[in-house]
Amino acid sequence: MSAALLLGGFAFFLILHVPIGIAIGLAVLVFMTLNPDVVPLRFLAQGMFSSVDSFPLMAVPFFILAGSLMEGGGLSRRLIRLASSIVGSTPGGFASVTVLACMFFGAISGSSPATVAAIGSIMIPAMVKQGYDIKFSTALTACAGGLGVIIPPSIPMVIYGVATGASIGKLFMGGFGPGLVAGGALILVALYYSHKFGYKGSDEKFNMRNVITALNEAKWALFVPIIILGGIYGGVFTPTEAAVVAVVYGLLVGLYVYRELQWKDVPQCLINTALMTGTVLIIVGTATTLGRIMTIEQIPNMIVQWLLSISQSKFIILVIINVFLLFVGMVMETLAAILILGPLLLKVVMQLGVDPVHFGLIMVLNLAIGFVTPPVGVNLFVACGITQVDFMSLSRNALPFVTALILALLVVTFIPAITLWLPKLLGI
Amino acid sequence: MLRLLKRIFDNLEEYLLVFALGSMVVYIFMQILFRYIFNLPLAWSEELARFTFVWLIYLGASLAVKRKRHLRVDAALLLYPKVIRPYVTLLGDLLFLFFAIVIAKETATLIHAITFVRPQVSPAMQIPMGLAYLAVPISFGLMIIRIVQNIVSFFRSNTINKSSASVNVIQK
């Protein structure tokens, strides 16, 4: 009964076009008014402060800010040059360069739309100039941008870690395997279509000296993942502190080394970051209280019982959850989905023996797919903004890549070792 | 003078947010520097950054009201005929307004309790917790103003559209 009231109320307010965080708050408010003996109204007021008064959560604005500074600071262009020197000369080379460059940029940025913007604004025009179809190029970049959140650092992983209590450090390390699988799947599809349409690589032959020159140019950008991940694993700093170091580092490199960022651009970066922080993290304020009430009312247990009545198999239940998450990813901004569903579903799958880090990567991969599925596909919007290709035909062109990502998701779901080998190897 | 005040008020969130986020970077970076370079861990930096972070989130949410950038399930609008969609969003805003009023009022009550009835101070900086909590009612108060501004401009632009439409009819 209380489950129907909470979740039904939430859905009801969403349909009335209330902002997601507020819809949760209103559902909680209705519940509290009808059941004042379960939790008093003060609980919600207190939660608005205490749930966001969190040091780990602070990594979110810092990673957004770091990405925004590095995008303006010329780091992306050098990463593209490096990717191009490695795979540019192969057939379909430009498509592979795009995916590889997104993987590199994913390692310095925690955001997926930022990856699309940073790599897409350079690579899409370059691909079109080489005779690649503009819709194909735009769709590929939109999908490859999703790698930005799978390869660490990753803002959704921070959110998942804060919401569920899983180790953010472990999640970051767990992202490498799935990132390689998803990136590999995209490159395979891109190569198939490049072969079919006769897209060529660059005229320059592969040359080790070019790689070394590009590596040298990009070295300041490549230090970023070393500082962030090395710093976290070496116990030098927490993920939040690592994000601040990335901000300061990105600022200094952009201003004084590459000299493509100017002080006057900085306030705009700060405001954009604050805007994104406000829209996403206001949801934490209300979703935490919703989560607590659901725990008090034993709703996760009810969902487990219900799922077990459908099937006893862990894998079938994981497939059901994946299908459900893909659907949610289509209609809801996916950071919000992680916040609301992460803790709930983790309680469910943990009873089936699924590792929290493994499940985190399953959710983040789902999110990366949600970024490129209509009607709410942030990456598609960003990519459309770059090329002015119309939204519907872009969605159609993204279909083969989305299929590849879904296959990657299945592989990652059913082979936990892909996610867990690296954290295990490092002994964390 | 009045015009200057209006400009400051119109951009209030932007000024405060640049300051909040900029200072958070400084506090945490100092925390790292003091720990490793001066071997002198700071006690206050994390707490001050956290309290500033709460301001950042809710003032950012107020900015998002102003710029109409809050995350909504836009697909839900497909359920309604085109002509009434703006009114559904208006209803959503009115519900947001109601929520903002409840939260501003409830947190103000809470602050009263932890300031005057059972005083609480923060662990590291020893400042009254009520001061830290102020971020919530003040930001939601600002959100109330921004929502009302949006609603007013919604009705204003609606009547302007209608009157200009009737002007067109007359001219034809």
Side-chain angles (χ1 to χ4, degrees), chain A residues 5 18 70 194 250 337 364:
Chain A
L5 185 59
V18 177
M70 289 191 279
S194 299
V364 171

Side-chain angles (χ1 to χ4, degrees), chain A residues 92-108:
Chain A
F94 274 67
S96 309
V97 170
T98 304
V99 178
L100 196 61
C102 283
M103 290 168 83
F104 286 156
F105 195 78
I108 68 170

Side-chain angles (χ1 to χ4, degrees), chain A residues 15-17 19-20 22 25 41 46 48-49 52-53 55 58 236 241 244 248 271 275 278-279 281 331, chain B residues 28 31 35-36 46 50 53 57-58 64 69 71-74 77 80 88-89 92 96 99 106 132-133 140:
Chain A
I15 288 172
L16 292 180
H17 214 222
I20 298 170
I22 308 304
L41 201 53
Q46 191 144 25
M48 295 301 286
F49 179 87
V52 293
D53 176 28
F55 192 68
M58 227 188 288
V236 183
E241 289 174 340
V244 169
V248 175
I271 291 171
L275 184 64
T279 51
L281 295 191
V331 295
Chain B
I28 302 298
Q31 169 173 318
R35 193 168 66 225
Y36 285 108
E46 181 188 319
R50 270 194 284 118
F53 180 43
I57 293 172
Y58 293 119
R69 288 276 297 277
L71 301 170
R72 303 170 194 248
V73 179
D74 289 328
L77 285 181
Y80 306 98
V88 176
T89 307
F96 191 167
F99 182 76
E106 281 300 314
Y133 270 81
F140 272 88

